[in-house]
Amino acid sequence: MDILGATLRVCVDDLETAVPFYERLAGGTALRFERGGVQVAAVGCFLLMSGPQEELDVLRKVAATIAVTDVDEARQVLSDLGAHIVAGPVATPAGRNLIAMHPDGAVYEYADRRQ
């Protein structure tokens, strides 16, 4: 499994206020989409999320998003290493993802760009 990088997940109260700051900080334009009632803006290494509190409470449990070349391969490697696959793989607006709990209890999203 090739790990390509990580994205920091940031829950914000007001996405419209937060996006300009992170665009200037990261030097790029946010890619925006909605998923499950949560508004999302991806800019640089940041994934900004805003929405209903109950949804954000769930999202805050995921420490980071880890980019991989292939989510199916990541699922196999993670399972072989004793991780628990909590959800997925499922299609997302940007590719596919899964949520895994590592043996130490840390929870991460693994995502690829495959359609």
Side-chain angles (χ1 to χ4, degrees):
M1 169 177 70
D2 293 327
I3 295 177
L4 306 174
T7 301
L8 305 171
R9 301 165 64 93
V10 182
C11 294
V12 299
D13 292 330
D14 183 354
L15 196 63
E16 297 309 314
T17 300
V19 165
F21 171 83
Y22 283 94
E23 285 179 330
R24 289 183 62 194
L25 180 65
T29 302
L31 169 67
R32 295 173 183 240
F33 57 93
E34 181 181 338
R35 178 136 179 119
V38 174
Q39 297 297 316
V40 181
V43 57
C45 66
F46 300 99
L47 188 63
L48 309 175
M49 300 172 288
S50 183
Q53 193 60 45
E54 58 275 3
E55 295 293 329
L56 294 180
D57 289 344
V58 172
L59 294 170
R60 282 187 177 99
K61 294 178 182 177
V62 179
T65 299
I66 299 170
V68 295
T69 54
D70 185 336
V71 163
D72 293 321
E73 180 185 8
R75 180 178 188 205
Q76 186 62 54
V77 169
L78 289 161
S79 294
D80 289 350
L81 292 172
H84 170 66
I85 306 303
V86 176
V90 297
T92 72
R96 297 175 312 137
N97 75 350
L98 65 80
I99 305 294
M101 180 183 294
H102 292 187
D104 62 7
V107 178
Y108 295 94
E109 174 187 33
Y110 288 81
D112 66 22
R113 296 262 182 210
R114 295 173 54 175
Q115 298 298 322

